[in-house]
Amino acid sequence: MKLLVDKITEIVGEAFNEAGYGEASCRVTHSNRPDLCEFQCNGAMAGAKLYKKAPIMIANDVVAKLSDRAEFSEVSAVNPGFINIRLSGEFLALYLTQMRADKVFGCNREEVPVKLVMDYGGPNVAKPLHVGHLRSAVIGECLKRLNRFYGNDVTADVHLGDWGLQMGLIIEELKNRKPDLVYFDDNFTGEYPAEAPFTLNELEEIYPAASAKSKVDEEFAKRAHDATVYMQQGKPGYTAIWKHILALSIPDLKRNYMNLDVSFDVWKGESDAKPYIEPMIEDMKAKGLAYESQGALIMDVKEDTDTKEIPPCLLQKSDGAALYHTTDLATLIQRMKDYKPDRVLYVVDKRQEMHFTQVFRAARKAGIVPESTRLSFIGFGTMNGKDGKPFKTREGGVMRLETLISDINSSVYEKSLESNHMGDEDNREDTCKKISLAALKYGDLSNQASKDYVFDLDRFASFDGNTGPYILYNIVRIKTILSKYVQGGGDMSDVNTIFAPYTDAQRSLMLCLTTFNEVMDQAYAEDAPHRICGLVYDLANAFNAFYNETKILAEEDEGKKTSYINLIVMVKDCLEKAINILGFDAPERM
Ligand code: ARG
């Protein structure tokens, strides 16, 4: 559906033509002085040079052609040559009614769906999810939902880290602790036990212990590296341990993601790239792209136009170990083969930007990904504590995601006890979970992804200000009004017509609502969830102002009352759609 600003631009453009200024720009924008007008056009200013006329004269001529347009209630030329526009209430209402009739509220979906593979989450098995993985999950999930809303065909792949050194570290540490396990007996030919030789808790203790040891014990580090290579090569005992690790880790990860309302279509990992690695390396060698340097196989990806040093891609160590570049490149082969995507989108910590620059370049050079497939990297900043340093536990350790979520839950729960609007105990718990999730996700998504931000639980969970709970609060308020309306005999069977505004506050709310498709289109085009947050915040504020100035249910004029009800139903639907894309939902009451 044509955006409102574009519609207005078109009308103003006709007037420029009719007045004989067809060459001048007629671009209409939202007014930067909402106290003076709603929309403005500065085309007369630029047209002045072109037509060698004072801008105000041009503006006057154009305004004369616009004066009897039914779409506008006021059009004026203002020195030195601005054209200020106010819409007619009827036109505003008509536009909203058309948006309302469209199932995506006038957003401009893709006509041909884009086949998109998304890579986000990226947890490492055997290591607990920590807050560093939070942003990838939260931003990735939002972009997935946004892309689906825009009609795209999205496959979300969690891309487990299941093939790297952490596996070798665990295997080697396990060997130290329990050398007699059959997995370490090279002569063993029977079937390995179905039961893992460790619990998830033990596993989560083994990894950090092994990792710490490898930093001080060179011998151990070397053995862990070798164990990784043996595992990658498919040594049976190590493969069996690897399977145990996955079997314990994956359900736990799934549970964690479920708590975040984050989901994936595909649970592949780095290890799934294995079958593609050998042929890929052979091909790169044959093409003369990969060569040996200091005992490793590498590929140059620097370009003449580079302004900074882009180091080569590392494809293989001399002992055959696959590296991070290797698995990401081989995974691209698998993705091209399985999905033939138009776009592959990675949502990863921005500190990995160089890695992806290298991978993308190598993928193009080696012919793994054609030019017609877009490769995108969305790098997010760090979540910091109030001290401005990466978020840690009170003791200074890495904060587990689970702990973080339960901290937020209990803080919201505690606060909820002060309120008596939360319903009974059952509802309260569910409501608090919804509020917590909104606090957490909105707190993250309202920042531009690439920026670092400070995690401030008190601020995120506050019911006032630019927060998730504030947005929910306004949605719940509308729900409450509507249910009272129905209880009082109000009819909600036809709420699809939006009427011209009776008051300024109603008008402002309507104007804000018209930006829904415009801002969503922008958020989609720029992969920018923070724009959606900006939209819902503006909308919640506009509703709040309207609510404070308007007697809705007590209104005696039925026409007015209907216009209010229909409008707030649409506000609620748009807000709910937007927060659903952000990745959370509103409770019934709070
Ligand atoms: N597992 C990685 C990490 O924790 C993130 C994976 C990102 N995705 C990728 N295809 N490299 O840093």
Side-chain angles (χ1 to χ4, degrees):
M1 182 171 158
K2 191 163 282 170
L3 300 178
L4 185 58
V5 273
D6 293 339
K7 265 192 183 211
I8 303 172
T9 298
E10 223 172 62
I11 296 168
V12 172
E14 279 168 30
F16 268 85
N17 261 335
E18 283 170 29
Y21 305 110
E23 301 299 310
S25 156
C26 55
R27 182 84 229 143
V28 171
T29 57
H30 292 275
S31 159
N32 52 20
R33 287 287 306 274
D35 52 324
L36 298 179
C37 62
E38 292 162 352
F39 293 89
Q40 69 186 59
C41 172
N42 300 349
M45 245 77 80
K49 264 207 181 125
L50 219 55
Y51 293 98
K52 308 211 177 355
K53 246 189 188 178
I56 190 68
M57 290 172 76
I58 299 180
N60 275 324
D61 291 346
V62 173
V63 166
K65 300 280 176 205
L66 287 170
S67 56
D68 47 82
R69 296 285 312 216
E71 292 89 345
F72 306 143
S73 64
E74 220 181 291
V75 189
S76 52
V78 176
N79 269 323
F82 299 114
I83 299 171
N84 289 351
I85 299 168
R86 238 173 99 87
L87 303 186
S88 71
E90 290 70 27
F91 179 58
L92 185 55
L94 181 68
Y95 189 79
L96 285 177
T97 303
Q98 286 165 352
M99 273 175 90
R100 164 94 257 188
D102 178 21
K103 69 176 191 297
V104 289
F105 303 112
C107 292
N108 293 290
R109 289 158 54 106
E110 295 286 350
E111 272 157 31
V112 182
V114 173
K115 174 73 222 174
L116 175 65
V117 172
M118 283 191 62
D119 182 315
Y120 64 97
N124 301 312
V125 297
K127 298 192 205 172
L129 276 181
H130 59 80
V131 300
H133 291 112
L134 175 71
R135 299 209 71 192
S136 180
V138 169
I139 299 168
E141 178 71 18
C142 172
L143 292 176
K144 177 186 76 180
R145 294 178 185 209
L146 183 60
N147 271 277
R148 292 208 169 127
F149 182 68
Y150 272 82
N152 294 336
D153 175 5
V154 189
T155 302
D157 183 355
V158 71
H159 198 71
L160 297 169
D162 63 353
W163 205 229
L165 182 62
Q166 88 265 27
M167 293 301 186
L169 284 165
I170 293 170
I171 293 172
E172 204 47 42
E173 177 62 15
L174 191 66
K175 193 172 177 180
N176 275 351
R177 295 183 186 192
K178 302 180 182 172
D180 298 332
L181 289 174
V182 288
Y183 307 95
F184 304 116
D185 177 356
D186 287 341
N187 300 318
F188 183 76
T189 51
E191 234 176 72
Y192 290 106
E195 185 97 359
F198 37 68
T199 62
L200 185 63
N201 276 339
E202 283 166 337
L203 199 55
E204 288 179 353
E205 178 266 321
I206 294 177
Y207 170 73
S211 168
K213 193 195 266 186
S214 73
K215 296 202 172 92
V216 292
D217 182 342
E218 232 172 83
E219 274 301 300
F220 177 78
K222 168 87 179 68
R223 288 203 304 276
H225 173 81
D226 291 345
T228 311
V229 179
Y230 289 136
M231 177 208 71
Q232 290 182 350
Q233 288 167 349
K235 185 177 164 108
Y238 289 11
T239 304
I241 297 177
W242 173 81
K243 282 189 181 151
H244 285 312
I245 298 176
L246 256 67
L248 284 178
S249 257
I250 291 176
D252 186 55
L253 289 171
K254 287 193 172 162
R255 192 178 48 79
N256 268 287
Y257 283 125
M258 205 169 73
N259 282 336
L260 278 176
D261 207 352
V262 166
S263 68
F264 301 91
D265 308 298
V266 177
W267 279 74
K268 287 195 179 299
E270 292 171 346
S271 65
D272 288 285
K274 183 183 181 203
Y276 303 93
I277 293 178
E278 262 319 302
M280 174 181 86
I281 300 268
E282 286 316 312
D283 184 59
M284 287 170 168
K285 280 188 192 157
K287 287 181 174 145
L289 294 171
Y291 65 93
E292 302 247 346
S293 167
Q294 298 175 358
L297 196 68
I298 65 172
M299 172 171 171
D300 289 326
V301 289
K302 60 175 191 284
E303 288 165 10
D304 293 342
T305 48
D306 289 342
T307 49
K308 67 172 180 203
E309 163 100 16
I310 311 285
C313 250
L314 304 176
L315 300 170
Q316 210 167 38
K317 290 215 179 169
S318 52
D319 57 9
L323 298 154
Y324 194 30
H325 286 143
T326 331
T327 51
D328 264 328
L329 282 164
T331 301
L332 273 170
I333 299 181
Q334 173 256 319
R335 288 176 176 162
M336 291 310 298
K337 175 173 135 318
D338 290 352
Y339 314 112
K340 297 188 186 52
D342 302 304
R343 186 183 187 201
V344 186
L345 172 63
Y346 297 82
V347 183
V348 186
D349 192 310
K350 75 175 174 204
R351 284 168 291 191
Q352 296 192 25
E353 182 162 14
M354 177 60 87
H355 168 79
F356 284 97
T357 302
Q358 294 166 305
V359 167
F360 292 175
R361 286 185 180 189
R364 301 274 188 221
K365 256 182 119 168
I368 293 171
V369 179
E371 285 302 330
S372 55
T373 296
R374 200 173 145 203
L375 293 172
S376 319
F377 169 73
I378 299 203
F380 51 81
T382 309
M383 178 172 134
N384 289 326
K386 281 189 190 161
D387 58 359
K389 302 205 185 93
F391 195 80
K392 291 265 168 16
T393 59
R394 228 170 269 159
E395 293 73 36
V398 175
M399 175 72 115
R400 295 176 59 148
L401 191 52
E402 216 166 353
T403 316
L404 179 79
I405 294 174
S406 84
D407 282 1
I408 301 175
N409 274 337
S410 21
S411 149
V412 169
Y413 188 82
E414 222 134 87
K415 260 177 90 182
S416 83
L417 297 173
E418 295 159 17
S419 141
N420 45 17
H421 300 292
M422 293 281 194
D424 52 33
E425 205 39 42
D426 289 353
N427 288 338
R428 185 191 295 270
E429 211 167 288
D430 188 52
T431 301
C432 288
K433 276 199 180 139
K434 289 199 159 112
I435 298 174
S436 305
L437 197 62
L440 180 70
K441 287 190 166 183
Y442 191 93
D444 188 304
L445 294 170
S446 52
N447 302 284
Q448 201 177 324
S450 61
K451 300 236 162 84
D452 298 348
Y453 74 93
V454 173
F455 180 84
D456 181 344
L457 179 53
D458 291 335
R459 190 169 75 72
F460 288 4
S462 163
F463 281 27
D464 298 311
N466 189 5
T467 70
Y470 172 70
I471 308 297
L472 297 189
Y473 191 74
N474 281 286
I475 296 175
V476 169
R477 178 166 268 164
I478 300 179
K479 288 188 185 187
T480 310
I481 298 170
L482 294 176
S483 71
K484 282 193 188 146
Y485 175 67
V486 171
Q487 273 163 25
D491 179 13
M492 293 255 297
S493 58
D494 178 15
V495 289
N496 295 332
T497 308
I498 304 298
F499 297 98
Y502 290 90
T503 67
D504 285 344
Q506 186 180 13
R507 190 182 174 90
S508 301
L509 178 55
M510 288 170 73
L511 275 168
C512 186
L513 202 50
T514 63
T515 64
F516 185 87
N517 52 357
E518 184 182 346
V519 180
M520 284 300 232
D521 282 3
Q522 265 169 14
Y524 168 67
E526 297 167 13
D527 300 310
H530 71 280
R531 290 209 180 271
I532 305 177
C533 293
L535 171 69
V536 295
Y537 185 51
D538 288 346
L539 209 42
N541 278 334
F543 165 73
N544 204 30
F546 167 74
Y547 173 81
N548 286 330
E549 281 177 36
T550 314
K551 292 183 296 182
I552 301 176
L553 294 174
E555 177 56 57
E556 279 164 15
D557 179 326
E558 282 304 317
K560 275 191 194 173
K561 191 166 171 177
T562 306
S563 81
Y564 297 159
I565 293 292
N566 292 9
L567 177 59
I568 65 174
V569 172
M570 183 165 171
V571 170
K572 173 181 84 72
D573 289 349
C574 285
L575 280 174
E576 285 194 310
K577 185 69 239 174
I579 63 166
N580 176 268
I581 291 173
L582 291 173
F584 55 91
D585 294 299
E588 283 314 304
R589 42 193 299 179
M590 64 191 267

